[in-house]
Amino acid sequence: MNNVVLVHGGFVDGSGWEGVYKTLTRNGYSVTVVQNPTMSLEDDVAYTKRALAAKDGPAILVGHSYGGAVITEAGNDPKVTGLVYITAFAPDKGESVPHS
């Protein structure tokens, strides 16, 4: 399994994953950085699921901050083999991400 999908947090974009992207790809991983619009959780989950659909085989989802809520929702996709939360929200069923 060498597919990784990186999901950024709120108030930032996917460029924050640049160093991680370079390290993983240099080590042979197929990496996608999802560029979520952060307009709604539902839209961001849909963008993430489209990134998963483009992967050939199973993938690990990695979320930072608000991206943790996105990967929690997208994690029910059959291609997902694991979720990694990096300083991220990991809401239980029925919980939402706090608004500031």
Side-chain angles (χ1 to χ4, degrees):
M1 201 293 304
N2 69 343
N3 292 317
V4 179
V5 176
L6 304 171
V7 181
H8 64 80
F11 311 113
V12 295
D13 65 15
S15 65
W17 287 113
E18 182 180 6
V20 174
Y21 175 87
K22 286 180 178 180
T23 299
L24 290 172
T25 55
R26 186 172 44 246
N27 286 289
Y29 290 90
S30 171
V31 182
T32 299
V33 178
V34 179
Q35 192 62 33
N36 284 325
T38 63
M39 297 301 287
S40 74
L41 178 59
E42 293 78 20
D43 286 343
D44 295 341
V45 169
Y47 271 67
T48 301
K49 286 191 171 194
R50 280 195 290 276
L52 283 168
K55 289 292 184 193
D56 184 23
I60 292 177
L61 289 177
V62 181
H64 171 256
S65 185
Y66 160 78
V70 176
I71 69 168
T72 297
E73 294 293 318
N76 63 6
D77 187 283
K79 282 191 170 182
V80 175
T81 60
L83 302 174
V84 177
Y85 295 85
I86 300 178
T87 316
F89 293 101
D92 283 332
K93 185 175 178 124
E95 290 184 330
S96 62
V97 177
H99 299 281
S100 51

